[in-house]
Amino acid sequence: MARLKSVVFDVGNVLVDWNPRAFFQRHIADPARLDRFLGEVATLEWHTQHDAGRSFADTSAELIARHPDEAEHIRLWGERFDEQIGDWLPGMAALMADLDSAGVPLYAITNFSHEFWPSFRAREAVRLDRFRDILVSGEVKLVKPDPAIYALALDRFGLAPGEALFVDDRPENVEAAERSGFAGHVFRDADTLRAALQGSGLL
């Protein structure tokens, strides 16, 4: 197997904190209604359509038609999506800086809407500029854990099987990456990841 020489990151809940509940609890005071909104209305399954390339205008219109009582909050999902994304997770900015300083090529594969990505990318430009390339699911209309997105990443990043460590917080995404030729790491926290990178000789 080829020697590891680069790291490919997920973005949400690996680099930065994505927390819709923290945002919407500021707008929905009733805990039961909040639970219903996130558990039955604006679900992860619904949001994944944006990651796959569908427009928010289309998905929100469909959802509002089914849940007209939540129209205001559904619109907020798109209008203020950036506010669902909090700070960088503890230790991750420093870890990125250390990898970059060590000359390790950095890439990312993120399930992210092509409409929501540009403003977030601009907001975090200083840190995300460390990455040589970022593959955004909504732009290519492929989402993790589809094997095709990992094959595309290897080709686009110019990596051979076995040359990259893929880091994601969702085990199913890591398992799919490993089947596609990546080494894998299920993210828990920066300290655990740093130890794994040191053990693999990347730091």
Side-chain angles (χ1 to χ4, degrees):
M1 180 176 285
R3 182 179 67 85
L4 286 175
K5 68 177 187 180
S6 64
V7 185
V8 180
F9 287 92
D10 178 29
V11 174
N13 296 326
V14 170
L15 300 181
V16 294
D17 180 30
W18 178 50
N19 192 338
R21 179 172 291 273
F23 171 75
F24 279 101
Q25 68 185 6
R26 302 198 299 269
H27 300 275
I28 303 175
D30 178 9
R33 185 177 182 184
L34 176 62
D35 287 344
R36 176 181 172 273
F37 179 71
L38 294 175
E40 301 176 22
V41 182
T43 63
L44 180 60
E45 181 182 21
W46 170 73
H47 177 66
T48 298
Q49 296 178 91
H50 308 135
D51 295 342
R54 290 200 69 199
S55 73
F56 181 75
D58 289 345
T59 65
S60 61
E62 293 167 359
L63 199 60
I64 288 169
R66 296 198 299 273
H67 302 279
D69 58 318
E70 294 291 1
E72 176 187 355
H73 298 132
I74 292 167
R75 292 190 186 101
L76 272 181
W77 188 283
E79 293 169 358
R80 298 173 63 178
F81 184 79
D82 269 6
E83 293 179 50
Q84 295 184 30
I85 306 173
D87 293 334
W88 279 59
L89 293 176
M92 290 306 294
L95 184 55
M96 294 299 98
D98 290 347
L99 285 166
D100 192 30
S101 295
V104 176
L106 302 177
Y107 304 94
I109 306 171
T110 180
N111 283 356
F112 215 114
S113 163
H114 65 290
E115 295 175 317
F116 302 158
W117 175 255
S119 61
F120 170 73
R121 175 68 179 82
R123 185 187 97 181
E124 300 294 343
V126 171
R127 289 170 174 168
L128 293 180
D129 281 350
R130 296 185 185 279
F131 289 80
R132 301 190 181 191
D133 195 2
I134 300 175
L135 196 159
V136 178
S137 66
E139 295 176 351
V140 300
K141 295 181 169 56
L142 296 168
V143 295
K144 296 175 293 184
D146 186 338
I149 198 169
Y150 302 104
L152 176 61
L154 288 173
D155 181 65
R156 192 163 117 174
F157 300 161
L159 297 169
E163 288 185 340
L165 178 69
F166 176 71
V167 182
D168 197 294
D169 63 303
R170 299 181 64 174
E172 65 270 26
N173 292 344
V174 173
E175 290 165 7
E178 290 173 335
R179 291 193 295 270
S180 300
F182 290 86
H185 177 89
V186 178
F187 180 79
R188 296 200 305 272
D189 56 59
D191 289 343
T192 304
L193 175 56
R194 182 178 290 273
L197 292 167
Q198 291 169 337
S200 67
L202 287 164
L203 271 181

